[in-house]
Amino acid sequence: MATFRFKALDEVLDRQAVEVVREENLVSDYYGMMVFDQEKMKKYLSREAYKAVTDAVKKGTTIDRKMADQVAQGMKAWAIENGATHYTHWFHPLTDGTAEKHDAFIVHGADGGVIESFSGSLLSQQEPDASSFPSGGIRQTFEARGYTAWDPTSPAFISETTLTIPTIFISYTGEALDYKTPLLRAIGKADKAATAVCQYFDKNVSSVRTNLGWEQEYFLIDEALYMARPDLVLTGRTLMGHASSKDQQLDDHYFSSIPTRANRFMQDVENEAYKLGIPLKTRHNEVAPNQFEFAPIFEEANLANDHNQLIMDIMGKIARRHNFRVLFHEKPFAGINGSGKHNNWSLSTDTGVNLFSPGKNPKSNLQFLTFVVNTLKAVYDGQDLLRASILTAPNSHRLGANEAPPSILSVFLGTEVSGMLDLMEESVVDRKMTPEEKTALKMNIGRIPEIILDNTDRNRTSPFAFTGNRFEFRAVGSSANNASALIVLNTLVANQLQEFKVAVDALIEKGTKKDEAIFQVLKKLIIESKSIRFNGDGYSDNWVKEAEKRGLTNVNSVPESLSAYLRPESKELFNKLGIFNESELNGRVEVEYEKYVMKIQIEARVLGDIAINHIVPTAVQYQTMLLENVKNLKEVFSTEEFESLAEGRLELIREIGKHVSAIKIKRKEMIEARKQANVIEDIVDKAYEYEKVVKPYLDEIRDSIDRLELIVDDEKWPLPKYRELLFVR
Ligand code: ADP
Ligand code: MG
C-alpha cells in the first residue's frame, strides 16, 4: 500500500489543472439557460397557463389539471429542445441528499414505435416506491404509498439530460416525509405572522418573504489519496490519523491565493451553477488546509435551499472531473477546523423592505426593533429546539470544538442595537409617558444609524449573530439540509410574532396608543430574553460558566438534544402552527435517532476493520523486523555492546506490542458493546447506549493507532497521512 501511496502522489504531481471553458463570455448571457424560468414560461406557455403558474407562485393558488397539461406541454417542448430525454420528480427525503428517478419521455405511438410525451398529471404528481425512504414509522408497510407533488415555487430545470421538477414528498395520508413540505409550511406561517405585524407600520405590506444566503464550507481531497482511505470513503471522515506537524497554526490558508487546481474546480462548478440559475458569488480558501467556501447571493429560502442541495450534488460530480473528492462532513479531520454552513436569514416585505435593516426614520426603526426583539425572544424560548435542529452525529464533533460555535445558543447584536435595547429597557414605557419622554424615545430610536454593517463590529464566535441586515445562524452543519434549521427558526419566529400581536392588540383594545403598546410589549420581551444576548467571546471557558449562571442550556449530546422535540410544549407548538402533527414529529425525531445510531455503528465497524486488517498486521510486521534486527545484533556484538545498541529497539518493540494488544482488546469490547446496544428496542435508549458505551471506543482505538503511526516505518504505513491528505493540491 505504501507503494500505492507514493504512486498516487506521483500521479498527483503530474496532474495538470483541468481547463475550464466558460459557456459564453458573459455570465449574464447564459445565466439560467437550463431553468424553466419566467422568460421561458412566457415563450413556451399560453398566456393563461403562464398566469396559472405565476399566480401559484405569488398567491399560492392551485393549478388545475387542464392548465397543468398545458404547462407540461410547454416544459416538455423546452426540455427536448435543450437536449433532455428524461424527466424526474426531485425531492428531499429525510436522508442526507436528494432523490430522483428518471423516466424517459417516450410512450408507445399509435402505429408502433414511440413518441415523446409528458402530461399534466405526470408533472403534478407521482407515486414513487416510497417504502425505502426513512419515515420513522409514519408509513407503515401496509400503507407504503407515498407521493411527490410539484412545487411550482421552485422552477424546473435540466440537469444533464433530465428535466428535473422540484417536488414535496408526502405519505398517502398527507403526512410530510421530506424536508421541503414542513419548510414551505413554516415559511408560510412566518409570512402570515410577519405580515400581520407589519400592518402596524405599513398597510401596504401584503406578504413577507424569508430569505436565505448559505455559506457552504467544504474540503477538497485528491481522489487517489481519498480512495486509499476506506474511512473517508465509507464515513466521510478520517477515523484515525496523527496530526500533521504543520496544519493551520500559521493562519496561512484563510483567504490566501486559491490553488490553481482548486480554482479550476470552482470555475467549473460556477459554470454549471450559472446555467442552473444558482447565483454563486463568493469563493475563498477557508481556515484549514484544503478547506474552501462557496456563497451565493441570497434568495427566497425555499429556492435557496433547493439550490444548496443541488450545488452539493454538482460539486460532488464536478470534483471527480478534477480528480478531487469533495468532503461535506462537519469534521473530516481531528484537530483542525471543521465545516459549517452559515445560514444568513432575513425577512423582507413585498414592498421591498428588509425587516432587519435599520430604517431612515423612527417609524421604520421601530419596525426594525420589533422584528429584532421578537427574533431574540424566539431564539431565547427556542434555544433547545434550535440546537436540536442542527446537532447531528457529525456536527457534534464540530460544535464547541474551539473553532465552531459552542453548544450554547446565544445572540450577538453588536453595540449599536444592544445599546438601543438597553435604552428601551430603561425607558418608562410601562406607565403613561409624558410628551417629552415620548419625543426622547423616538429621537433615540431614530438615531440607529442606517448602515451598521460594520465588519469591525462582528463576532465570529457567536452561533446566532446579527450582521447588520440579517441574522447569521452559524451552528448549521456543512452537510445539513438547511430546511432542518429553517423549519424550527421560522416556526419559532412565527409563533413569537403571533404572540406579540395578541399582546399589542390587547393593550390597544384597553386604550393604549399603538406605538406605546408596541413599546411596552417590546420592553417586556427585551427583559425576558436578556440572558440570550451575548456580545463576548463564545469560544471562551468563561462564557460556559457565565451561560450556566444565566440559566442557558448547554448540550453537546445528540440524543439529549433531540429530546427537545419530544417535549409536550414542542409538540403543541408545531401542531398549533400546522408544521408537524404529532405523528410527523415523532416520525421525524425517530429518523434522527436512527441516523445517529447508524452513523456510529458504521464508524465503529469501519474502524474495527481497518484496525485489524490494516494497522495491526503492519505494526506486527514492523515489530517482527525489529525483533529480527535485535536477534542479529545479539549474534554479532558482545553482550555489553548489544545491551546499549538494542535498548531503544526493545522499547519500541514493547510499545508496539502494547498498542497492538490495546487495539485488539478494545475492538473486541467494542463489538460486544454494539451487540448489547443492538438488542435495545427503544430507539432513544439505543441512541444513548451508542453514545455512552460504543462511541468512546472510537477515540480509544484511534489513540493507539495514531501512536503507532508515529512509530511504524513510513514506507510500511498503509494509509495516506494527514500531511498528505491536507497538503497535496
Ligand atoms: P461573511 O462575511 O459572513 O462570510 P459571505 O459574503 O461569505 O459573508 O456570505 C454572506 C451571505 O449572506 C451571502 O450569501 C449573502 O448573499 C447573504 N446575505 C446578505 N444580505 C442578506 C440578507 N439581507 N438576507 C439574507 N442573506 C443575506
Ligand atoms: Mg463567508
Side-chain angles (χ1 to χ4, degrees), residues 624-674:
T624 309
M625 254 177 67
L626 292 174
L627 280 166
E628 282 300 320
N629 176 256
V630 171
K631 274 194 225 157
N632 293 344
L633 290 175
K634 195 163 194 172
E635 254 171 48
V636 175
F637 292 99
S638 69
T639 313
E640 204 173 284
E641 264 185 295
F642 167 75
E643 271 172 9
S644 79
L645 281 171
E647 202 181 275
R649 285 170 187 71
L650 289 171
E651 207 172 290
L652 278 182
I653 290 166
R654 276 191 211 101
E655 209 172 320
I656 292 172
K658 191 180 86 190
H659 294 309
V660 165
S661 304
I663 290 173
K664 288 198 151 176
I665 292 165
K666 298 274 181 214
R667 175 176 172 267
K668 246 196 173 145
E669 289 175 6
M670 180 169 73
I671 292 172
E672 275 315 305
R674 281 207 316 267

Side-chain angles (χ1 to χ4, degrees), residues 211-215 254-255 281-282 284 286 293-299 342-347 354 356-357 453 455 458 460 467 469-472 474:
N211 302 301
L212 169 68
W214 40 263
E215 298 169 51
Y254 189 63
F255 279 17
K281 170 105 174 150
T282 307
H284 61 80
E286 261 300 329
E293 178 185 302
F294 264 132
I297 301 171
F298 71 92
E299 301 177 282
H342 299 177
N343 274 206
N344 292 268
W345 172 90
S346 69
L347 298 170
N354 174 355
F356 295 118
S357 271
L453 243 180
N455 272 313
R458 280 213 177 184
R460 307 242 164 220
T467 47
N469 63 354
R470 62 189 185 270
F471 281 95
E472 197 171 333
R474 297 214 182 90

Side-chain angles (χ1 to χ4, degrees), residues 36 84 86 122 131 136 158 166 210 230 267 269 292 314 343 362 370 376 466 638 668 697:
F36 196 62
H86 287 65
L122 289 175
S131 54
I158 298 172
T210 303
Q267 287 175 31
V269 170
F292 306 94
I314 291 172
N343 274 206
T370 296
L376 206 58
F466 180 67
S638 69
K668 246 196 173 145
Y697 282 110

